[in-house]
Amino acid sequence: MSDSCAFCRITDGTDEASVVLDEEHVLAVMDLRQFHPGHVLLMPRRRIPDVRTLPSELAGPLMRAASRVTTAVSDAFPNEGISLWHSIGSAAFQEVPHLHIHVHPRRAGDGLLAVYPDHPPSTDRASLDEMAARIRSALP
Ligand SMILES: [Zn+2]
């Protein structure tokens, strides 16, 4: 049965993929884009839009799989580091609305994922404390 979600078509076996890890709740496959060899996509089998709606019973299996896959990528492909990333929404360039974590080998100076366009100034403690309190009060 085909589905409009590209990742559901992979998790249900409709579309082919090169499988790295196949578990009850989690699937990891090779990304089609191999800027550095070893780029893996890790996702829950169920369609969950992003980590904000991840059921707690899937959080453990997903993070355990992330740890195992990252260890394997690190050992199996040349790298000078690894980036894990998960994007939410268009401003963060989320391309598929089905939670996925990229596991990507890094090389020094490769120019990927430059986090800040300019180095931001440090924020004072009072402001940081205020922001932390705001987020604490919003924790689900
Ligand atoms: Zn999906």
Side-chain angles (χ1 to χ4, degrees):
M1 172 180 117
S2 76
D3 190 290
S4 60
C5 173
F7 291 168
C8 287
R9 289 197 307 271
I10 290 174
T11 60
D12 74 11
T14 301
D15 285 356
E16 67 177 0
S18 297
V19 175
V20 169
L21 182 88
D22 185 352
E23 295 184 339
E24 181 183 0
H25 298 296
V26 180
L27 186 72
V29 300
M30 300 309 297
D31 195 295
L32 294 175
R33 299 161 298 186
Q34 295 291 319
F35 185 87
H36 295 315
H39 179 190
V40 172
L41 290 174
L42 181 70
M43 65 194 77
R45 290 187 166 280
R46 272 170 52 195
R47 184 193 297 180
I48 294 159
D50 59 62
V51 73
R52 295 173 297 182
T53 50
L54 181 67
S56 58
E57 70 271 16
L58 295 183
L62 187 66
M63 188 49 86
R64 272 194 300 279
S67 174
R68 292 183 65 209
V69 167
T70 302
T71 300
V73 168
S74 180
D75 290 347
F77 286 92
N79 69 84
E80 295 163 83
I82 306 276
S83 288
L84 272 68
W85 82 89
H86 166 52
S87 300
I88 300 173
S90 57
F93 302 101
Q94 182 178 20
E95 296 170 308
V96 179
H98 180 143
L99 194 167
H100 55 287
I101 298 170
H102 295 263
V103 180
H104 203 297
R106 299 299 305 273
R107 303 308 292 251
D110 64 16
L112 292 172
L113 296 170
V115 177
Y116 301 111
D118 299 301
H119 190 72
S122 290
T123 304
D124 64 89
R125 180 60 51 202
S127 297
L128 293 172
D129 286 346
E130 188 178 312
M131 290 179 214
R134 185 170 169 177
I135 295 169
R136 278 197 309 273
S137 70
L139 283 172

